[in-house]
Amino acid sequence: MTKENVKFAISLSSLRIIHFLINHRIMAVNYKDLGLVNTREMFKRAINGGYAIPAFNFNNMEQLQAIIKASSDLKSPVILQVSKGARNYANATLLRYMSQGAVEYAKELGCKHPEIVVHLDHGDSFETCKSCVDMGFSSVMIDGSSLPYEENIALTKKVVDYAHQFDVTVEGELGVLAGVEDDVVAAESHYTKPEEVIDFVSRTGVDSLAISIGTSHGAYKFTPEQCTRDPKTGRLVPPPLAFDVLDAIMVQLPGFPIVLHGSSSVPQEYVDMINKYGGKLPDAVGIPEEQLRKAAKSAVCKINIDSDSRLAFTAAVRKVLAEKPGEFDPRKYCGPARDLMTELYEHKIKEVLGSDNKLAQLD
Ligand SMILES: O=C(CO)COP(=O)(O)O
Ligand SMILES: O=C[C@H](O)COP(=O)(O)O
Ligand SMILES: [Zn+2]
Ligand SMILES: [Zn+2]
């Protein structure tokens, strides 16, 4: 065995040991020690106050900086959302330390009592959820929505039973969103059945419920055939969300926290910018913001936004690279991307979700 091989074997076994220690909770971290909070109190306040908490996905430093800057400056509680893809892209350990750093950064920005949740988005197995709980996440989603009903209940309950031991809150999902969801391609959405929600919530013990009422993931939420066209602008106008289904769910579960996934509005200005500077996003369409405003006033207390941030980032990067083809310092195009995302997050918080100035302690 060469010296290099020995070194490699040692580092591999120390990684295995660390994973063993985390898995057996010998080295596990609790979110409270990282300065994070779970969703319980903030959801209660959001429902009573008629606003929604932003759940922004992040995969990199610039997105995280922009989210923390916008939420701290506007004194908004915020949910930092990490998908399985984000964990694979950015490394789970790095993400954990970045999230911990986010609390310190918010304080540096002058927000004395930040309320930051680190949440697993679309957890697909008990093991992924457990790993996040053990690594200091304060909230996890277990997405069993593509499973048969009873299997969804069994898996969700297993995650709840584990997470609640550490006061980590859990989001479950009933109903299937249209479009590409995780690895599942649903040709059409299956709205949440209001007659199932009481049974699901009481048997699983979830803290919040993601529902399907016509939203979907990505920048193409509706086909042109599903939309009408605005005669003045020629732009696509999507069909309204199924607020009747939301109302029926709220009758079954009064005051229970409801979550909307797939809630990017796909701002036309970003799509136009991307297309102008060499991109190709024909007929991209999202959820109109007035529908999100309406939802935020109801029991919908968490609204998930990822694609809009991706669009803002891409639009800003394309603009810089198109206008300055000689630029090769990533700070010169990631910086403007960060600024545009900060603007986007501020707009969502203040003008759409209404979560500004809603920290429990505003001093
Ligand atoms: O639901 C989401 C993350 O879980 C994000 O939805 P968008 O693709 O509409 O941003
Ligand atoms: O719901 C999906 C989120 O937008 C996360 O997307 P991702 O799985 O590509 O990270
Ligand atoms: Zn789902
Ligand atoms: Zn989602």
Side-chain angles (χ1 to χ4, degrees), residues 172-193:
E173 180 169 346
L174 258 188
V176 181
L177 271 66
V180 179
E181 178 159 16
D182 310 328
D183 296 329
V184 184
V185 181
E188 58 181 50
S189 67
H190 303 283
Y191 290 160
T192 305
K193 295 181 185 136

Side-chain angles (χ1 to χ4, degrees), residues 55 57 81 83 121-122 141 171 177 215-219 221 260-266 287 302-310:
N57 289 66
Q81 218 157 235
S83 69
D121 191 24
H122 294 285
M141 173 189 194
E171 174 184 325
L177 271 66
T215 63
S216 66
H217 292 112
K221 299 194 186 297
L260 277 193
H261 281 250
S263 296
S264 276
S265 51
V266 188
I287 309 296
K302 172 175 180 272
I303 293 193
N304 287 11
I305 296 171
D306 187 1
S307 297
D308 285 353
S309 162
R310 297 178 181 195

Side-chain angles (χ1 to χ4, degrees), residues 38-317:
N38 69 18
T39 58
R40 201 167 289 121
E41 288 306 314
M42 71 168 67
F43 281 176
K44 247 187 233 162
R45 294 191 333 253
I47 294 176
N48 294 335
Y51 60 92
I53 311 290
F56 297 132
N57 289 66
F58 84 101
N59 289 269
N60 61 38
M61 183 187 72
E62 285 78 9
Q63 280 178 311
L64 181 61
Q65 288 174 317
I67 296 168
I68 296 303
K69 173 98 180 89
S71 57
S72 301
D73 285 356
L74 294 174
K75 307 267 183 262
S76 170
V78 73
I79 298 173
L80 294 175
Q81 218 157 235
V82 175
S83 69
K84 194 180 169 193
R87 288 183 102 213
N88 290 339
Y89 175 78
N91 179 277
T93 309
L94 263 183
L95 280 174
R96 171 181 134 209
Y97 283 104
M98 284 168 83
S99 309
Q100 186 175 4
V103 177
E104 296 306 313
Y105 181 45
K107 288 183 183 165
E108 263 180 40
L109 289 170
C111 186
K112 279 194 198 151
H113 306 283
E115 287 173 47
I116 300 175
V117 172
V118 174
H119 172 80
L120 169 69
D121 191 24
H122 294 285
D124 60 349
S125 66
F126 172 77
E127 288 71 26
T128 306
C129 293
K130 178 181 182 302
S131 153
C132 288
V133 171
D134 294 347
M135 282 194 118
F137 281 46
S138 56
S139 176
V140 292
M141 173 189 194
I142 176 69
D143 183 355
S145 62
S146 60
L147 298 173
Y149 182 70
E150 287 299 329
E151 287 177 37
N152 186 3
I153 290 193
L155 177 61
T156 306
K157 183 175 171 3
K158 188 173 175 192
V159 171
V160 169
D161 287 347
Y162 186 75
H164 279 185
Q165 293 177 67
F166 310 101
D167 205 22
V168 169
T169 40
V170 180
E171 174 184 325
E173 180 169 346
L174 258 188
V176 181
L177 271 66
V180 179
E181 178 159 16
D182 310 328
D183 296 329
V184 184
V185 181
E188 58 181 50
S189 67
H190 303 283
Y191 290 160
T192 305
K193 295 181 185 136
E195 64 274 19
E196 284 180 351
V197 295
I198 295 183
D199 183 60
F200 185 82
V201 163
S202 59
R203 286 173 62 198
T204 58
V206 280
D207 302 281
S208 60
L209 182 68
I211 60 163
S212 171
I213 57 165
T215 63
S216 66
H217 292 112
Y220 296 91
K221 299 194 186 297
F222 304 96
T223 61
E225 294 72 45
Q226 291 173 303
C227 303
T228 53
R229 273 202 196 264
D230 183 317
K232 278 197 201 121
T233 60
R235 286 189 169 143
L236 294 174
V237 180
L241 297 180
F243 279 100
D244 54 333
V245 176
L246 172 61
D247 288 343
I249 291 169
M250 291 193 301
V251 168
Q252 299 295 316
L253 294 174
F256 190 80
I258 301 297
V259 176
L260 277 193
H261 281 250
S263 296
S264 276
S265 51
V266 188
Q268 197 60 44
E269 58 194 287
Y270 301 154
V271 174
D272 288 348
M273 236 168 115
I274 290 172
N275 290 338
K276 178 174 170 190
Y277 293 110
K280 210 171 176 186
L281 294 179
D283 288 336
V285 59
I287 309 296
E289 287 184 336
E290 60 277 12
Q291 305 234 348
L292 299 174
R293 269 183 210 108
K294 181 174 168 185
K297 292 194 171 76
S298 71
V300 169
C301 59
K302 172 175 180 272
I303 293 193
N304 287 11
I305 296 171
D306 187 1
S307 297
D308 285 353
S309 162
R310 297 178 181 195
L311 290 168
F313 198 120
T314 305
V317 171

Side-chain angles (χ1 to χ4, degrees), residues 329-344:
D329 178 346
R331 292 172 296 186
K332 296 285 166 36
Y333 47 84
C334 289
R338 187 174 62 193
D339 293 344
L340 198 58
M341 290 188 294
T342 309
E343 238 177 66
L344 163 80

